[in-house]
Amino acid sequence: MTETVEKDAYQAGYEFVVVANRLAVNRVTAKDGSTGWQRSPGGLVTALAPIMSSSGGAWVGWHGAADETLEPFDHDSMHLHPVPLSGQEVEDFYEGFSNGTLWPLYHDVIARPLFHRHWWDAYQQVNQRFAEAAAKVAAENATVWVQDYQLQLVPQMLRELRPDVKIGFFNHIPFPPPGLFAQLPWRHAVMKGLLGADLIGFQRESDAKNFQRAVRARLGFYIKSDRVFVPWEDDAAAPLEGFTADPARGTAPRQLSVPAEGTFRTSEATAFPISIDTDRIVELSNDPKIISRAAQIRAELGNPDTIFLGVDRLDYTKGIRHRLKAYDELLQEGKLRVGKHALVQIASPSRQGVETYQRLRDEIELAVGRINGEFDTMGHTAIRYLHHSYPVEEMVALYLAADVMLVTALRDGMNLVAKEYVAARRDGTGVLVLSEFTGAADQLRQALLINPHDIDELKAAIVQAAVLDREDEQKRMRSLRRQVVSHNVQRWAEEFMHRLHEL
């Protein structure tokens, strides 16, 4: 076991520490060639910045450049503690284990996960480095909030280093059913790593239950009302006191009774669905410049009757191929017509060094080229495909320009694009076609919910969205907006922190 940190080393630390794969800032280069730092625009940073400011917070993460070591620095009321990664560690820990093993496994094995032992070795080493950095900057009895699947071992590693701190963990992606999770050779280590946290947050109730079922089946820990009773037992290979082998589950233990008082601690695993910075989106949607830009976008597309919009990171979990197939068939059948209807597909670059993503990009661009080659006219394009990332101002203009938002993810922890579209529709119009396999589907029940694997159902929803009665459209959107506006990302962070402190 890792030795605990000496108390004198952390007495002058920070009361609130966030541990994430990336820092809360991006490096920027000015026109004169000088470099500096700019706060990341993501919702997580937006949600936690006020807590950072009020409690004197620190953010631990990688700064984005391999083979470079930076000293800690301050920016926008935050203390930033960079964790260095070598080029080999980026390849093995991030591109390898995080995104070649965990990402596909946690997204229902849509792509085949790869299990390489040297990737796992790198994952452990990097998680240990993050845990040691957090232990170094946290004050006595501080609160530490660890973020996402890249750092699942950090809670337990940090607990061994700093048993005084309160630890939270939030998993931003789905957690797989126990049968799929069982494929992971290092499943026990990952579960015990997560159980080092006092509170483990998931996007959906089903994700929390999947984790609980995996813990019960594989570790045999007693669970009641989302509370996992974790025995004080260091030797993972030894039988736990009060447990016995269950022949039906191989060597997995099954608990016979509630652990005796004083022989365990508890870790709560429950759902805390994340949201967006709705105030910012609403503010931008009322900006005259952005409203004008939305009108310009419609004009550039030839002012069609219906603009369909897809906004995704270029990832095989997003269902872009299914969306293109459905749209293609509707054009073939004459139910959609170029000039009257237009699809804008934003595909933000993602993990361009990974072969799976390179193949996906080739497939999607080939499909778009074929569809456009068959259906384009001299004045109109069937699909406007854009392989770019855009600032939030341009995204809000696109949300305002689009009549229908298509979210066809095959598996998604939440999908914040769906919520951003709803927040931007300040006039109460617009239709959201939403995959039932997104976390957002649990909350946005008035969307047109679809199974993206069912191409006929997807096609029917696209056609329905294009001709939906205006009264029905507005009724649905009003309900969606009430949900999104009242449950913003600040509320998400506050509720998580409140529950963590209750524990």
Side-chain angles (χ1 to χ4, degrees):
M1 189 197 313
T2 307
E3 294 183 3
T4 58
V5 175
E6 292 296 327
K7 184 174 181 179
D8 290 345
Y10 56 80
Q11 283 184 328
Y14 295 83
E15 299 292 336
F16 178 58
V17 179
V18 174
V19 187
N21 180 57
R22 291 297 297 269
L23 283 180
V25 294
N26 296 321
R27 180 181 273 156
V28 293
T29 302
K31 293 181 180 180
D32 62 3
S34 62
T35 60
W37 299 96
Q38 185 178 69
R39 198 174 89 173
S40 301
L44 180 65
V45 179
T46 300
L48 299 183
I51 305 176
M52 288 276 179
S53 298
S54 62
S55 61
W59 192 296
V60 174
W62 180 45
H63 63 282
D67 299 311
E68 181 183 43
T69 300
L70 296 181
E71 291 299 317
F73 61 98
D74 295 327
H75 185 276
D76 278 359
S77 303
M78 285 188 287
H79 177 73
L80 300 170
H81 191 95
V83 175
L85 295 180
S86 69
Q88 190 63 52
E89 286 171 334
V90 172
E91 182 177 335
D92 293 341
F93 153 74
Y94 182 72
E95 295 178 353
F97 195 80
S98 295
N99 294 313
T101 301
L102 294 176
W103 181 269
L105 183 66
Y106 283 31
H107 287 84
D108 291 353
V109 195
I110 295 169
R112 183 172 67 90
L114 302 176
F115 305 113
H116 295 309
R117 284 170 290 181
H118 68 282
W119 285 1
W120 167 246
D121 292 341
Y123 188 79
Q124 294 179 91
Q125 292 164 9
V126 172
N127 271 245
Q128 184 67 44
R129 192 175 307 150
F130 273 80
E132 290 170 356
K136 182 178 181 180
V137 302
E140 186 175 4
N141 300 319
T143 297
V144 180
W145 194 357
V146 185
Q147 305 289 332
D148 223 359
Y149 66 104
Q150 300 97 341
L151 304 175
Q152 292 176 111
L153 306 182
V154 169
Q156 182 58 28
M157 291 173 169
L158 178 60
R159 182 167 294 281
E160 292 176 358
L161 291 165
R162 292 289 305 277
D164 60 297
V165 301
K166 181 79 72 174
I167 305 171
F169 180 92
F170 188 77
N171 195 58
H172 292 258
I173 67 173
F175 194 88
L180 291 181
F181 183 69
Q183 296 180 27
L184 184 66
W186 308 280
R187 58 203 178 188
H188 292 84
V190 168
M191 285 187 288
K192 290 191 174 184
L194 291 171
L195 288 170
D198 298 285
L199 178 62
I200 311 168
F202 296 91
Q203 298 280 27
R204 311 179 78 171
E205 187 65 29
S206 58
D207 295 324
K209 296 303 181 186
N210 283 343
F211 175 73
Q212 291 175 24
R213 285 194 291 269
V215 168
R216 184 181 289 113
R218 296 292 164 184
L219 299 180
F221 293 173
Y222 179 76
I223 300 173
K224 182 179 181 181
S225 302
D226 296 332
R227 305 287 290 278
V228 181
F229 290 69
V230 183
W232 293 112
E233 174 63 54
D234 293 329
D235 187 358
L240 301 179
E241 185 178 351
F243 291 75
T244 187
D246 181 359
R249 291 175 178 160
T251 59
R254 184 178 68 182
Q255 184 159 352
L256 300 178
S257 60
V258 182
E261 186 174 351
T263 65
F264 64 88
R265 61 175 181 81
T266 61
S267 177
E268 183 169 312
T270 191
F272 287 91
I274 199 171
S275 192
I276 61 170
D277 183 6
T278 52
D279 291 344
R280 175 64 170 153
I281 300 297
V282 170
E283 177 187 2
L284 291 173
S285 70
N286 285 295
D287 187 328
K289 292 181 180 178
I290 292 178
I291 295 171
S292 176
R293 173 58 184 150
Q296 182 184 1
I297 291 171
R298 292 195 70 95
E300 290 172 353
L301 294 170
N303 288 311
D305 293 349
T306 306
I307 296 176
F308 299 95
L309 175 64
V311 177
D312 308 272
R313 202 166 45 77
L314 189 59
D315 193 284
Y316 50 79
T317 65
K318 301 301 183 181
I320 302 173
R321 288 174 291 195
H322 296 65
R323 187 181 313 158
L324 295 177
K325 180 176 178 60
Y327 200 79
D328 180 20
E329 291 187 9
L330 289 171
L331 290 172
Q332 297 277 3
E333 296 165 5
K335 295 178 180 177
L336 297 180
R337 289 191 294 113
V338 173
K340 185 176 181 180
H341 305 95
L343 170 60
V344 177
Q345 176 61 58
I346 308 294
S348 302
S350 175
R351 299 164 189 162
Q352 298 178 78
V354 180
E355 184 180 353
T356 305
Y357 290 81
Q358 294 169 353
R359 290 200 303 267
L360 176 65
R361 179 180 178 181
D362 291 342
E363 290 174 17
I364 290 174
E365 292 182 353
L366 184 64
V368 170
R370 181 186 57 77
I371 294 169
N372 284 343
E374 184 171 354
F375 293 104
D376 278 7
T377 67
M378 293 299 290
H380 299 91
T381 296
I383 302 173
R384 187 67 60 86
Y385 174 78
L386 302 164
H387 183 57
H388 302 294
S389 296
Y390 291 95
V392 64
E393 293 82 3
E394 182 73 359
M395 294 310 307
V396 172
L398 282 163
Y399 296 148
L400 293 178
D403 304 286
V404 180
M405 186 80 211
L406 301 178
V407 178
T408 60
L410 308 179
R411 191 75 166 94
D412 214 335
M414 179 52 62
N415 196 284
L416 298 179
V417 164
K419 294 188 175 184
E420 288 179 352
Y421 177 74
V422 169
R425 303 302 298 191
R426 70 201 194 301
D427 64 354
T429 64
V431 183
L432 174 62
V433 176
L434 180 61
S435 166
E436 64 188 65
F437 301 118
T438 64
D442 286 358
Q443 300 167 293
L444 306 182
R445 305 301 299 175
Q446 289 302 310
L448 298 182
L449 298 177
I450 52 98
N451 174 2
H453 298 281
D454 186 340
I455 300 300
D456 288 333
E457 182 175 284
L458 176 54
K459 288 164 59 179
I462 291 173
V463 172
Q464 180 186 358
V467 300
L468 194 64
D469 175 78
R470 181 51 62 94
E471 184 178 347
D472 188 12
E473 175 183 333
Q474 292 180 328
K475 180 181 178 182
R476 288 174 179 270
M477 186 54 70
R478 282 196 299 269
S479 176
L480 294 172
R481 280 182 58 79
R482 279 196 299 271
Q483 209 289 330
V484 171
V485 171
S486 62
H487 293 81
N488 60 22
V489 72
Q490 288 83 6
R491 177 172 172 178
W492 165 80
E494 290 167 2
E495 289 180 348
F496 187 96
M497 294 298 294
H498 178 72
R499 183 58 186 153
L500 179 58
H501 288 145
E502 280 187 336
L503 297 174

